[in-house]
Amino acid sequence: MTTHTDRTATPSLEGKTILITGGAGGLGAEAARLAVRGGARVVVTDVLDEKGRATAEELGEQARYLHHDVTSEEGWARAVDFAVAEFGGLDGLVNNAGIPTGVLLADESVEHFRKVLDINLTGVFIGMKTAIRALRARGGGSIVNISSAAGLMGLALTAGYGASKWGVRGLTKVGAVELGTERIRVNSVHPGMTYTPMTSETGIVRGEGNYPNTPMGRVGEPEEIAAAVVFLLSDAASYITGAEIAVDGGWTTGPTVKYVMGQ
């Protein structure tokens, strides 16, 4: 499996400043690492301060950490202003922060459903709305919203999560239509089952042949999702907006069918 371990394998983000929410660990931290390898300056935000600071310190002088509640308008204004003050502007936003659900629709409380939508969807809306002014000041930019395979298909045990991720998918389309003439691109990435500290608690196992639910037969690695994110942030994706990129090993393509060659 190819991994992205140096800048030669990473689209250039030289001169760009990227803000990544939920960047303390998992997919967000990996996106931050890959963005820095591509030459970007990165503002990592999260509510997990110890892990967030550790990630920023690992990345060195090209990274900063900021405590950030994505449900707060004031918090978003502070985060965007911080990126501009630290690095002179903002060129890209990765809306990655989110929380899961894991119960049947009939069992999910209204309180938790609303909480999930507030973080996973309203937080993305506030972030897009707030970042627009800074992106306009740079003459354009890229917004990458992290949705999910659960935003492309119906998935059991994801009532609040699935609803929020379908909402992120739709909000991405609206942003792409409204902001295209300003050279602000808006795309969504839809990870399938990916091995992270959070998903590892469910008992999934990484490696070939360990996840037969996908045509590729394995779960994804965080750097594979991050590669799609960094590509969309880069000028290599300059004519891509309103796209929904499934990085899921073919999971959302359809049911896995086993067959024998020649039959």
Side-chain angles (χ1 to χ4, degrees):
M1 179 179 62
T2 300
T3 58
H4 298 266
T5 56
D6 57 49
R7 195 171 302 180
T8 62
T10 306
S12 175
L13 296 180
E14 291 287 349
K16 297 185 185 297
T17 297
I18 311 298
L19 193 159
I20 302 175
T21 69
L27 302 182
E30 195 59 42
R33 292 185 187 100
L34 195 56
V36 167
R37 288 177 200 149
R41 298 161 298 187
V42 174
V43 174
V44 172
T45 80
D46 212 305
V47 294
L48 303 175
D49 293 333
E50 185 175 348
K51 290 183 178 180
R53 282 191 291 267
T55 297
E57 289 173 6
E58 170 200 330
L59 296 176
E61 287 300 313
Q62 287 177 258
R64 301 286 188 276
Y65 173 72
L66 182 70
H67 181 89
H68 178 202
D69 174 3
V70 297
T71 68
S72 165
E73 291 184 70
E74 294 77 12
W76 266 109
R78 185 165 57 251
V80 171
D81 289 345
F82 179 79
V84 172
E86 289 292 310
F87 294 126
L90 183 68
D91 303 283
L93 168 63
V94 180
N95 278 308
N96 172 69
I99 61 173
T101 52
V103 298
L104 293 169
L105 186 154
D107 298 326
E108 184 160 19
S109 70
V110 173
E111 179 183 17
H112 189 255
F113 184 89
R114 286 175 172 157
K115 178 180 179 181
V116 173
L117 261 65
D118 199 25
I119 294 171
N120 293 11
L121 179 56
T122 305
V124 171
F125 162 72
I126 302 171
M128 291 173 64
K129 179 180 174 68
T130 307
I132 287 171
R133 59 180 172 83
L135 297 175
R136 282 172 173 162
R138 299 286 266 192
S142 175
I143 297 173
V144 181
N145 295 326
I146 306 302
S147 180
S148 170
L152 294 172
M153 64 178 180
L155 194 61
L157 305 175
T158 68
Y161 183 80
S164 71
K165 294 304 186 178
W166 277 83
V168 167
R169 179 186 179 192
L171 188 61
T172 297
K173 304 290 191 188
V174 173
V177 170
E178 293 186 355
L179 300 171
T181 57
E182 299 186 69
R183 300 298 183 264
I184 298 173
R185 298 179 295 105
V186 190
N187 295 286
S188 59
V189 170
H190 299 254
M193 185 60 75
T194 305
Y195 190 88
T196 67
M198 181 178 69
T199 59
S200 66
E201 296 176 0
T202 67
I204 68 168
V205 179
R206 69 204 318 176
E208 300 292 338
N210 287 322
Y211 197 70
N213 291 349
T214 67
M216 292 188 71
R218 65 173 176 85
V219 299
E221 296 291 336
E223 60 264 29
E224 294 176 306
I225 315 303
V229 171
V230 170
F231 168 71
L232 291 171
L233 290 169
S234 77
D235 292 339
S238 59
Y239 199 53
I240 300 176
T241 194
E244 47 199 40
I245 308 298
V247 190
D248 65 357
W251 191 18
T252 56
T253 304
T256 302
V257 178
K258 294 187 179 299
Y259 65 95
V260 177
M261 291 295 291
Q263 293 186 356

